[in-house]
Amino acid sequence: MRFIYILPGWEGSAHDGRVLRDAISRLDGFQVPQGQYYLVDAGYTNANGFLAPYRGQRYHLGGWTAQNPPCSVEEYFNMLHARARNIIERCFGRLKGRWAILRSPSYFPIKTHCRIIMACALLHNLILQNMAEDPLASEDGMMQDNMEILEGENDEPEFITHISTSNEWTNFRNTLSQGMYNSYRARGH
């Protein structure tokens, strides 16, 4: 539930992919190690380092019930993807819940507003890092997870430097999806 990279200042109408490309291309930008990936919503392309849901398939959590379960590899993947991405949405909700200044339009100059966003996100992370229990966690029903940081063998990992679709990445998502769906079906669903 922590922020790892913040890039304030873009207009809300900017395309998600354009903002992500800018974040990756910056000298001090967002770094995604090769072989790792982040979950992204359908506003982004499914590309190396960024795992997007299948388009044209059910996605939102309310779309599945016991009477209406996922009926394809793509729908099952999208359901699990939506569950995981829900944590990201809750993180933003908690940030806005914690800092009232982020809940309404800003009349500050853009530079000041960007600094406010950065300060709120950093304080949010500091609270999560230093408090035994987040007071807002009980409000959204979130249990704190202890995330173990894994140390890699390579001190200088290679990072993804551009975003583009590839057959290799599409095959990765398809193989991952098929494996998850096979496990789901093996459990009798």
Side-chain angles (χ1 to χ4, degrees):
M1 299 285 292
R2 294 183 186 152
F3 293 93
I4 58 165
Y5 185 81
I6 303 162
L7 181 62
W10 276 87
E11 291 182 24
S13 62
H15 190 275
D16 295 341
R18 185 173 175 210
V19 176
L20 181 58
R21 282 181 179 85
D22 179 44
I24 286 179
S25 68
R26 290 173 178 246
L27 212 46
D28 61 343
F30 183 48
Q31 295 182 328
V32 180
Q34 290 286 350
Q36 304 293 315
Y37 59 86
Y38 287 91
L39 297 180
V40 296
D41 64 29
Y44 298 89
T45 187
N46 186 59
N48 186 17
F50 304 96
L51 193 60
Y54 287 97
R55 293 185 180 173
Q57 303 290 324
R58 284 190 291 172
Y59 182 74
H60 297 285
L61 290 176
W64 294 282
T65 63
Q67 296 77 29
N68 191 17
C71 56
S72 70
V73 171
E74 294 82 6
E75 282 189 359
Y76 186 68
F77 176 84
N78 280 4
M79 180 183 75
L80 295 179
H81 190 283
R83 284 181 183 168
R85 281 236 347 111
N86 189 40
I87 294 168
I88 297 165
E89 300 304 326
R90 287 178 32 217
C91 188
F92 278 104
R94 195 177 287 181
L95 180 71
K96 288 182 176 182
R98 180 170 275 134
W99 308 109
I101 196 167
L102 300 177
R103 292 192 294 260
S104 58
S106 174
Y107 300 100
F108 294 104
I110 188 73
K111 188 173 184 177
T112 302
H113 189 68
C114 289
R115 287 178 176 162
I116 290 169
I117 292 169
M118 294 287 285
C120 290
L122 291 171
L123 287 169
H124 168 87
N125 285 357
L126 190 65
I127 288 168
L128 293 179
Q129 178 180 332
N130 292 308
M131 290 186 73
E133 185 175 319
D134 182 359
L136 294 180
S138 60
E139 290 180 19
D140 69 7
M142 168 69 179
M143 298 282 292
Q144 286 286 346
D145 290 331
N146 290 328
M147 299 298 287
E148 184 178 328
I149 298 174
L150 301 176
E151 294 292 328
E153 293 179 17
N154 186 355
D155 292 338
E156 294 291 328
E158 292 186 33
F159 296 104
I160 294 169
T161 57
H162 68 282
I163 302 167
S164 62
T165 58
S166 69
N167 288 337
E168 177 186 3
W169 193 251
T170 299
N171 290 337
F172 170 78
R173 180 179 66 177
N174 291 343
T175 302
L176 179 65
S177 301
Q178 188 66 56
M180 292 187 307
Y181 189 67
N182 290 346
S183 296
Y184 169 72
R185 299 294 293 173
R187 291 189 306 268
H189 297 281

